[in-house]
Amino acid sequence: MKALRKILSKWLPAYAFLYIAFLYLPVIFLPIFSVNTAVSPKFPLAGLTLKWYQELPNTPALLDAAWNSLLVGIAAAILSTVLGICAARAITRYRFPGRRTINGLIMAPLVLPEIIVAVSMLLVMLQLGLDLSLVTVVFGHVLVCIPYSLTVLTSGFEGFDRSLEEASADLGETAFGTFRRVTLPMVTPAIISSLLVSFTISLDEFIMAFFLTGTKPTLPIYIWGQLRFASKLPGVLALGTLLLVGSFLLLTIAELLRRRAARRTQNTGGVFA
């Protein structure tokens, strides 16, 4: 047993390094080739330039797609977080028949093949007589974002000191007032984290948008369309680099807020501790 632990202690760090390198090494080439003067991404680089980034604001189709993604992302983030708050509070506060089953159904989109979910959503939208538009894309993105939102918000609600709510009730506050003035301030970092995570997931979501979008494409659909033309590849690399940096920053902020929420709910010193 000791010999096995020694072997694992030596090889696990190496395995972790190789895993991370395998996962992120291709991503590193994205910003490198985005500043290459040549159209084709290859080594050695023909030169360094920022013209591909400078051309992005001068592309009307790109700006329209970015605006569409912004609208969809904000709507999906807000709806996912509101629904996630309701689900997280119910799951962490109450015990009722089928609680685990309901939680599993909410998390199901994480394990189901996304293309199957997207096709199912498309059939439902068509059966309801809805025209494909940004609204249907929002519905699809909400379905995908809710599991992530629920995960973040559950960590914010778990460990919450119920004595604070009981004290508020003893002082004559209503249930809604207690939730608004005591519970929500305590889980605000988790809520903001949920908004950021949901917005990031929606911004990068392709399959749902591919099946549910109408005549107004989102950014992933725009990028997919540009990949059919070799001359457009440098611009796609530049745009992909910006999305990569933006997603990384948003997820980093979301994780910091999630950890802050976890510390606050475990602190019994008060709402502003």
Side-chain angles (χ1 to χ4, degrees):
M1 194 66 175
K2 292 183 178 180
L4 180 61
R5 289 181 178 178
K6 288 183 178 181
I7 294 175
L8 292 177
S9 64
K10 293 180 179 179
W11 287 101
L12 280 179
Y15 169 77
F17 175 79
L18 292 175
Y19 177 79
I20 294 175
F22 175 79
L23 191 63
Y24 290 103
L25 188 59
V27 179
I28 296 177
F29 288 113
L30 190 65
I32 294 176
F33 288 130
S34 68
V35 295
N36 187 19
T37 55
V39 175
S40 58
K42 62 181 179 180
F43 288 110
L45 299 180
L48 299 178
T49 181
L50 294 177
K51 68 176 183 179
W52 311 120
Y53 291 90
Q54 296 170 353
E55 292 177 357
L56 293 180
N58 300 323
T59 309
L62 169 61
L63 298 179
D64 291 339
W67 177 250
N68 294 335
S69 287
L70 181 63
L71 293 177
V72 171
I74 292 176
I78 293 175
L79 290 175
S80 300
T81 300
V82 171
L83 295 175
I85 290 174
C86 298
R89 180 169 176 82
I91 291 173
T92 57
R93 286 290 183 276
Y94 306 104
R95 297 295 180 266
F96 51 88
R99 183 173 64 92
R100 293 182 181 274
T101 302
I102 293 174
N103 186 35
L105 291 175
I106 295 176
M107 305 299 291
L110 291 179
V111 296
L112 293 175
E114 192 169 349
I115 189 172
I116 302 300
V117 178
V119 172
S120 301
M121 285 289 295
L122 175 62
L123 295 177
V124 171
M125 298 299 175
L126 294 178
Q127 289 296 323
L128 293 176
L130 298 177
D131 295 329
L132 298 182
S133 63
L134 293 181
V135 175
T136 55
V137 176
V138 170
F139 290 155
H141 284 195
V142 168
L143 182 64
V144 174
C145 293
I146 282 181
Y148 297 94
S149 175
L150 179 61
T151 301
V152 174
L153 291 167
T154 299
S155 65
F157 277 100
E158 283 181 344
F160 183 84
D161 189 0
R162 295 192 181 184
S163 62
L164 297 175
E165 295 179 331
E166 294 173 357
S168 176
D170 291 340
L171 293 173
E173 185 61 86
T174 62
F176 178 76
T178 299
F179 180 75
R180 181 174 62 88
R181 296 184 178 182
V182 178
T183 307
L184 284 184
M186 286 291 292
V187 297
T188 294
I191 293 174
I192 298 176
S193 178
S194 171
L195 289 170
L196 293 176
V197 170
S198 299
F199 179 80
T200 304
I201 297 299
S202 175
L203 186 65
D204 297 333
E205 178 59 40
F206 170 75
I207 296 180
M208 280 291 183
F210 180 80
F211 281 92
L212 299 178
T213 192
T215 58
K216 297 181 178 181
T218 58
L219 266 180
I221 301 299
Y222 171 82
I223 293 175
W224 178 80
Q226 296 299 298
L227 288 176
R228 293 178 293 177
F229 308 100
S231 61
K232 301 292 185 180
L233 184 58
V236 172
L237 295 177
L239 178 59
T241 301
L242 295 178
L243 290 176
L244 179 66
V245 173
S247 298
F248 178 78
L249 290 176
L250 288 177
L251 290 177
T252 301
I253 295 173
E255 177 61 17
L256 293 176
L257 291 173
R258 186 196 66 79
R259 294 184 180 184
R260 182 185 176 189
R263 290 195 300 267
R264 291 185 65 179
T265 53
Q266 292 171 2
N267 193 315
T268 59
V271 173
F272 299 102

